[in-house]
Amino acid sequence: MKSYSIALIPGDGIGQDVTDAAWQVLSTVARHSGFTLTGTSFPWSCAFYKETGAMMPADGIEALRPFDAILLGSVGWPARCRIPSRCTACCCQSARPSCNMRISGRIDCCRASKDR
């Protein structure tokens, strides 16, 4: 049976609820479609950012590389802290160049930053 490993980054606010619901749907689809999913959750959020001053630890990109996919909730909560959207994009796209993200703001600087 085929198995996929998914990095789960619920993030903040609604991101936690959306990620939980998405994981339930994905798990159900996997069960009915003959494959398995293994999820590993990462605590990267505004709380983590406020505590450490970084979106993720220094080895965060390397920690994400072994996964088949990243399920990213909503990172950032303007009322609590402001994590630049490009920071989140850089983190995910550096780990998984095929990462599909819908964010507001430009991410071309992040794509370029991988080549530096």
Side-chain angles (χ1 to χ4, degrees):
M1 180 179 289
K2 184 71 176 162
S3 181
Y4 299 95
S5 61
I6 313 295
L8 305 170
I9 307 174
D12 300 295
I14 193 74
Q16 295 176 2
D17 297 329
V18 169
T19 302
D20 286 345
W23 185 248
Q24 288 176 19
V25 169
L26 289 170
S27 297
T28 300
V29 169
R31 215 173 23 258
H32 292 285
S33 300
F35 62 93
T36 60
L37 296 174
T38 304
T40 302
S41 199
F42 291 87
W44 303 333
S45 64
C46 268
F48 187 88
Y49 185 77
K50 287 174 80 171
E51 204 174 288
T52 66
M55 163 62 193
M56 62 174 57
D59 66 347
I61 299 297
E62 289 308 312
L64 293 173
R65 285 194 198 281
F67 291 91
D68 295 307
I70 300 167
L71 178 56
L72 176 66
S74 177
V75 179
W77 196 324
R80 295 187 181 178
C81 72
R82 291 191 182 272
I83 300 173
S85 60
R86 69 178 184 277
C87 176
T88 306
C90 287
C91 294
C92 284
Q93 290 185 337
S94 294
R96 303 291 311 167
S98 61
C99 183
N100 184 10
M101 298 184 62
R102 194 191 102 205
I103 61 171
S104 58
R106 297 176 44 144
I107 60 172
D108 21 50
C109 63
C110 298
R111 288 190 181 120
S113 70
K114 291 189 297 184
D115 299 328
R116 292 182 197 166

